[in-house]
Amino acid sequence: MTNEIKYKIIDSTNNEAQRQLQNGVAPKEDFVIRADFQTEGRGQRGNTWYSPNAENLTFSYVFFPPKLEVQHQFMLSQAVSVAVADFLIDNGVQDVSIKWPNDVYVGMRKICGMLIENSLSGHYVKHSIVGVGVNINQTVFPENLPNPTSLSLCTNRQYNLDDEFAKLIGLIREGLYFISRKNEAALMQRYKSMLLGLNRTMIYRSGGKVFKGIIRDVDSHGYLVLEDEASHEVQTYAFNEVNLVVPEMIKENI
């Protein structure tokens, strides 16, 4: 059973996990910081993660990987995104996919985001703070969010957050402890089987350019291999260098 530290309100679960680790008060094994409400919830690329009070799951899983080399740290992202996808599928949600590198989508709508912050020691990952936000019971979203959805909107049901948290944490823990060099190929295969846009034409933006592209691969370091449909040029992108343009954003970007 993973240690859980729960707050009614906090600035950010990732921030609190960092503070506990830095101040030496954190548990010595895996633990979870969970909050009903975050005043400064953080997402990727410096974005904020908005979640109303006690409607969704917002937490940070702190993982101490046994001998995970830095060059294989993308496996953490893969394992957690696959676990969240499996959690949704287990709840009867259809058309679940992973948007590179680790957002989880239903159709073309975002249901989960995550922010993974790794601390390195030499050639190994010392610990990983896996911040996760999954929309569960929320049905009304701010207008500035282009494509949100929730488990409740997908299934027309309301959920007990504690029960769903226990299910999800179990899957995440199982996924993280599955990580090893011998399982790298199997994890990559599972990740790619859920990858949104693999061998499919979609619209992307890189810098000031908006173009139709086709994902051809994701390598073991997490780099995206994308083919420009018009020029057939194949280019490799690091995180933050290219973004998928969701349908609600197409008109304003082309």
Side-chain angles (χ1 to χ4, degrees):
M1 185 68 178
T2 305
N3 294 304
E4 179 189 348
I5 305 166
K6 187 175 179 183
Y7 295 87
K8 288 289 187 184
I9 185 170
I10 201 169
D11 58 345
S12 156
T13 58
N14 267 35
N15 287 351
E16 177 61 17
Q18 289 279 20
R19 285 191 291 265
Q20 293 201 16
L21 288 163
Q22 291 171 358
N23 294 336
V25 298
K28 302 304 181 184
E29 55 189 19
D30 295 2
F31 65 96
V32 179
I33 302 289
R34 181 182 169 197
D36 286 336
F37 184 74
Q38 297 181 103
T39 60
E40 300 174 24
R42 294 192 290 133
Q44 296 174 351
R45 295 182 288 275
N47 294 329
T48 57
W49 178 267
Y50 171 79
S51 177
N53 185 46
E55 289 190 12
N56 302 320
L57 292 178
T58 52
F59 60 91
S60 296
Y61 190 113
V62 182
F63 177 54
F64 298 90
K67 293 293 183 180
L68 177 63
E69 295 175 323
V70 170
Q71 62 182 328
H72 298 293
Q73 61 185 305
F74 182 59
M75 294 176 72
L76 295 165
S77 185
Q78 291 175 296
V80 179
S81 57
V82 166
V84 174
D86 284 339
F87 163 77
L88 296 169
I89 292 168
D90 289 348
N91 273 293
V93 180
Q94 304 292 317
D95 199 16
V96 177
S97 62
I98 298 168
K99 183 178 80 68
W100 176 82
N102 53 29
D103 285 341
V104 182
Y105 270 43
V106 178
M108 288 301 295
R109 297 194 173 275
K110 182 175 178 177
I111 195 169
C112 170
M114 58 187 74
L115 176 64
I116 300 178
E117 299 175 303
N118 295 327
S119 175
L120 311 180
S121 178
H123 298 294
Y124 295 95
V125 177
K126 182 179 179 183
H127 62 252
S128 180
I129 301 176
V130 183
V132 179
V134 186
N135 296 330
I136 302 293
N137 288 324
Q138 186 176 358
T139 57
V140 178
F141 293 86
E143 291 184 0
N144 65 320
L145 297 180
N147 64 330
T149 192
S150 68
L151 184 56
S152 182
L153 287 173
C154 291
T155 63
N156 293 314
R157 289 180 52 200
Q158 288 285 301
Y159 293 85
N160 179 290
L161 291 181
D162 290 336
D163 290 345
E164 299 312 309
F165 175 74
K167 293 178 195 174
L168 180 53
I169 285 297
L171 288 168
I172 289 175
R173 189 175 192 279
E174 181 181 325
L176 288 172
Y177 278 94
F178 180 76
I179 289 175
S180 71
R181 289 292 302 278
K182 67 179 181 180
N183 294 327
E184 185 175 11
L187 179 57
M188 178 63 82
Q189 183 178 19
R190 181 82 170 118
Y191 174 83
K192 287 182 183 177
S193 74
M194 295 184 170
L195 187 62
L196 180 63
L198 182 66
N199 298 320
R200 173 184 168 194
T201 300
M202 303 190 80
I203 297 176
Y204 296 88
R205 180 176 58 247
S206 180
K209 178 185 177 183
V210 176
F211 63 98
K212 291 182 178 180
I214 305 165
I215 295 176
R216 293 306 186 192
D217 199 10
V218 176
D219 71 18
S220 62
H221 301 290
Y223 290 100
L224 187 72
V225 180
L226 192 61
E227 177 184 346
D228 187 307
E229 185 183 60
S231 67
H232 300 293
E233 178 186 359
V234 176
Q235 187 166 338
T236 299
Y237 294 91
F239 178 60
N240 268 343
E241 291 182 346
V242 67
N243 296 300
L244 177 70
V245 179
V246 299
E248 288 79 357
M249 298 169 62
I250 289 174
K251 289 183 180 178
E252 64 187 62
N253 283 283
I254 295 182

mmCIF file of all heavy atoms in Angstrom, residues 1-7 27 30-35 59 162 165-166 169:
data_model
loop_
_atom_site.group_PDB
_atom_site.id
_atom_site.type_symbol
_atom_site.label_atom_id
_atom_site.label_comp_id
_atom_site.label_asym_id
_atom_site.label_seq_id
_atom_site.Cartn_x
_atom_site.Cartn_y
_atom_site.Cartn_z
ATOM 1 N N MET A 1 0.849 -1.197 0.000
ATOM 2 C CA MET A 1 0.000 0.000 0.000
ATOM 3 C C MET A 1 0.877 1.236 0.000
ATOM 4 O O MET A 1 1.769 1.372 0.834
ATOM 5 C CB MET A 1 -0.907 -0.003 1.237
ATOM 6 C CG MET A 1 -1.908 1.132 1.275
ATOM 7 S SD MET A 1 -3.169 0.961 -0.011
ATOM 8 C CE MET A 1 -4.184 2.395 0.346
ATOM 9 N N THR A 2 0.654 2.123 -0.959
ATOM 10 C CA THR A 2 1.459 3.342 -1.069
ATOM 11 C C THR A 2 1.013 4.373 -0.043
ATOM 12 O O THR A 2 -0.185 4.597 0.156
ATOM 13 C CB THR A 2 1.316 3.925 -2.488
ATOM 14 O OG1 THR A 2 1.671 2.922 -3.445
ATOM 15 C CG2 THR A 2 2.219 5.127 -2.664
ATOM 16 N N ASN A 3 1.972 5.016 0.630
ATOM 17 C CA ASN A 3 1.659 6.061 1.593
ATOM 18 C C ASN A 3 0.917 7.202 0.905
ATOM 19 O O ASN A 3 1.335 7.678 -0.148
ATOM 20 C CB ASN A 3 2.944 6.619 2.219
ATOM 21 C CG ASN A 3 3.661 5.593 3.061
ATOM 22 O OD1 ASN A 3 3.078 5.029 3.978
ATOM 23 N ND2 ASN A 3 4.926 5.346 2.771
ATOM 24 N N GLU A 4 -0.185 7.660 1.507
ATOM 25 C CA GLU A 4 -0.959 8.776 0.949
ATOM 26 C C GLU A 4 -1.015 9.920 1.951
ATOM 27 O O GLU A 4 -1.321 9.719 3.129
ATOM 28 C CB GLU A 4 -2.383 8.330 0.606
ATOM 29 C CG GLU A 4 -3.236 9.482 0.051
ATOM 30 C CD GLU A 4 -4.708 9.123 -0.102
ATOM 31 O OE1 GLU A 4 -5.041 7.930 0.007
ATOM 32 O OE2 GLU A 4 -5.516 10.041 -0.306
ATOM 33 N N ILE A 5 -0.686 11.117 1.476
ATOM 34 C CA ILE A 5 -0.799 12.330 2.283
ATOM 35 C C ILE A 5 -1.797 13.226 1.573
ATOM 36 O O ILE A 5 -1.564 13.664 0.447
ATOM 37 C CB ILE A 5 0.566 13.043 2.414
ATOM 38 C CG1 ILE A 5 1.614 12.078 2.972
ATOM 39 C CG2 ILE A 5 0.444 14.277 3.295
ATOM 40 C CD1 ILE A 5 3.045 12.568 2.829
ATOM 41 N N LYS A 6 -2.930 13.482 2.206
ATOM 42 C CA LYS A 6 -4.013 14.198 1.537
ATOM 43 C C LYS A 6 -4.235 15.570 2.152
ATOM 44 O O LYS A 6 -4.194 15.738 3.370
ATOM 45 C CB LYS A 6 -5.314 13.379 1.592
ATOM 46 C CG LYS A 6 -6.433 13.994 0.759
ATOM 47 C CD LYS A 6 -7.680 13.119 0.731
ATOM 48 C CE LYS A 6 -8.769 13.782 -0.102
ATOM 49 N NZ LYS A 6 -10.036 13.012 -0.108
ATOM 50 N N TYR A 7 -4.497 16.552 1.279
ATOM 51 C CA TYR A 7 -4.785 17.918 1.682
ATOM 52 C C TYR A 7 -6.138 18.348 1.110
ATOM 53 O O TYR A 7 -6.496 17.937 0.001
ATOM 54 C CB TYR A 7 -3.711 18.880 1.161
ATOM 55 C CG TYR A 7 -2.338 18.655 1.739
ATOM 56 C CD1 TYR A 7 -1.462 17.745 1.147
ATOM 57 C CD2 TYR A 7 -1.910 19.348 2.865
ATOM 58 C CE1 TYR A 7 -0.200 17.527 1.672
ATOM 59 C CE2 TYR A 7 -0.647 19.143 3.397
ATOM 60 C CZ TYR A 7 0.209 18.231 2.791
ATOM 61 O OH TYR A 7 1.449 18.022 3.310
ATOM 62 N N PRO A 27 8.390 10.383 3.291
ATOM 63 C CA PRO A 27 8.626 8.949 3.522
ATOM 64 C C PRO A 27 9.815 8.465 2.703
ATOM 65 O O PRO A 27 10.155 9.049 1.673
ATOM 66 C CB PRO A 27 7.319 8.304 3.036
ATOM 67 C CG PRO A 27 6.279 9.388 3.147
ATOM 68 C CD PRO A 27 7.006 10.657 2.838
ATOM 69 N N ASP A 30 7.943 4.991 -1.783
ATOM 70 C CA ASP A 30 6.940 5.654 -2.602
ATOM 71 C C ASP A 30 5.816 6.255 -1.763
ATOM 72 O O ASP A 30 5.347 5.639 -0.805
ATOM 73 C CB ASP A 30 6.316 4.664 -3.593
ATOM 74 C CG ASP A 30 7.315 4.157 -4.608
ATOM 75 O OD1 ASP A 30 8.496 4.533 -4.537
ATOM 76 O OD2 ASP A 30 6.900 3.376 -5.486
ATOM 77 N N PHE A 31 5.393 7.473 -2.152
ATOM 78 C CA PHE A 31 4.264 8.098 -1.472
ATOM 79 C C PHE A 31 3.501 8.978 -2.449
ATOM 80 O O PHE A 31 3.978 9.282 -3.542
ATOM 81 C CB PHE A 31 4.710 8.902 -0.250
ATOM 82 C CG PHE A 31 5.571 10.107 -0.543
ATOM 83 C CD1 PHE A 31 5.017 11.384 -0.639
ATOM 84 C CD2 PHE A 31 6.946 9.972 -0.707
ATOM 85 C CE1 PHE A 31 5.822 12.494 -0.892
ATOM 86 C CE2 PHE A 31 7.751 11.081 -0.974
ATOM 87 C CZ PHE A 31 7.184 12.348 -1.065
ATOM 88 N N VAL A 32 2.292 9.360 -2.046
ATOM 89 C CA VAL A 32 1.422 10.167 -2.896
ATOM 90 C C VAL A 32 0.961 11.395 -2.131
ATOM 91 O O VAL A 32 0.535 11.297 -0.973
ATOM 92 C CB VAL A 32 0.169 9.367 -3.346
ATOM 93 C CG1 VAL A 32 -0.745 10.239 -4.204
ATOM 94 C CG2 VAL A 32 0.573 8.125 -4.119
ATOM 95 N N ILE A 33 1.073 12.549 -2.774
ATOM 96 C CA ILE A 33 0.479 13.783 -2.266
ATOM 97 C C ILE A 33 -0.802 14.013 -3.070
ATOM 98 O O ILE A 33 -0.760 14.125 -4.296
ATOM 99 C CB ILE A 33 1.411 15.001 -2.446
ATOM 100 C CG1 ILE A 33 2.761 14.769 -1.750
ATOM 101 C CG2 ILE A 33 0.721 16.270 -1.941
ATOM 102 C CD1 ILE A 33 2.708 14.803 -0.258
ATOM 103 N N ARG A 34 -1.927 14.077 -2.389
ATOM 104 C CA ARG A 34 -3.221 14.229 -3.058
ATOM 105 C C ARG A 34 -3.931 15.465 -2.500
ATOM 106 O O ARG A 34 -3.798 15.781 -1.319
ATOM 107 C CB ARG A 34 -4.071 12.984 -2.822
ATOM 108 C CG ARG A 34 -5.443 12.999 -3.488
ATOM 109 C CD ARG A 34 -6.198 11.718 -3.141
ATOM 110 N NE ARG A 34 -7.594 11.793 -3.526
ATOM 111 C CZ ARG A 34 -8.542 10.989 -3.067
ATOM 112 N NH1 ARG A 34 -8.232 10.023 -2.203
ATOM 113 N NH2 ARG A 34 -9.793 11.112 -3.462
ATOM 114 N N ALA A 35 -4.682 16.162 -3.348
ATOM 115 C CA ALA A 35 -5.374 17.374 -2.909
ATOM 116 C C ALA A 35 -6.762 17.455 -3.527
ATOM 117 O O ALA A 35 -6.959 17.090 -4.685
ATOM 118 C CB ALA A 35 -4.570 18.615 -3.284
ATOM 119 N N PHE A 59 -3.094 14.642 -8.041
ATOM 120 C CA PHE A 59 -2.145 14.071 -7.088
ATOM 121 C C PHE A 59 -0.761 13.977 -7.721
ATOM 122 O O PHE A 59 -0.597 14.093 -8.939
ATOM 123 C CB PHE A 59 -2.604 12.677 -6.640
ATOM 124 C CG PHE A 59 -2.731 11.672 -7.749
ATOM 125 C CD1 PHE A 59 -1.665 10.867 -8.108
ATOM 126 C CD2 PHE A 59 -3.927 11.527 -8.440
ATOM 127 C CE1 PHE A 59 -1.778 9.931 -9.131
ATOM 128 C CE2 PHE A 59 -4.059 10.594 -9.465
ATOM 129 C CZ PHE A 59 -2.983 9.795 -9.806
ATOM 130 N N ASP A 162 -12.573 8.530 -3.929
ATOM 131 C CA ASP A 162 -11.667 7.653 -3.193
ATOM 132 C C ASP A 162 -11.567 6.283 -3.857
ATOM 133 O O ASP A 162 -10.477 5.706 -3.965
ATOM 134 C CB ASP A 162 -12.129 7.497 -1.744
ATOM 135 C CG ASP A 162 -11.955 8.777 -0.934
ATOM 136 O OD1 ASP A 162 -11.096 9.606 -1.301
ATOM 137 O OD2 ASP A 162 -12.686 8.952 0.063
ATOM 138 N N PHE A 165 -9.594 6.694 -7.091
ATOM 139 C CA PHE A 165 -8.189 6.941 -6.768
ATOM 140 C C PHE A 165 -7.470 5.626 -6.444
ATOM 141 O O PHE A 165 -6.358 5.374 -6.931
ATOM 142 C CB PHE A 165 -8.093 7.905 -5.587
ATOM 143 C CG PHE A 165 -6.703 8.141 -5.095
ATOM 144 C CD1 PHE A 165 -5.817 8.925 -5.813
ATOM 145 C CD2 PHE A 165 -6.272 7.580 -3.895
ATOM 146 C CE1 PHE A 165 -4.523 9.140 -5.355
ATOM 147 C CE2 PHE A 165 -4.981 7.801 -3.429
ATOM 148 C CZ PHE A 165 -4.112 8.578 -4.167
ATOM 149 N N ALA A 166 -8.108 4.791 -5.647
ATOM 150 C CA ALA A 166 -7.497 3.507 -5.279
ATOM 151 C C ALA A 166 -7.252 2.647 -6.514
ATOM 152 O O ALA A 166 -6.187 2.015 -6.655
ATOM 153 C CB ALA A 166 -8.389 2.776 -4.275
ATOM 154 N N ILE A 169 -4.307 4.405 -8.618
ATOM 155 C CA ILE A 169 -3.002 4.267 -7.974
ATOM 156 C C ILE A 169 -2.483 2.833 -8.103
ATOM 157 O O ILE A 169 -1.289 2.598 -8.330
ATOM 158 C CB ILE A 169 -3.073 4.690 -6.492
ATOM 159 C CG1 ILE A 169 -3.157 6.216 -6.398
ATOM 160 C CG2 ILE A 169 -1.859 4.192 -5.714
ATOM 161 C CD1 ILE A 169 -1.951 6.943 -6.941
#
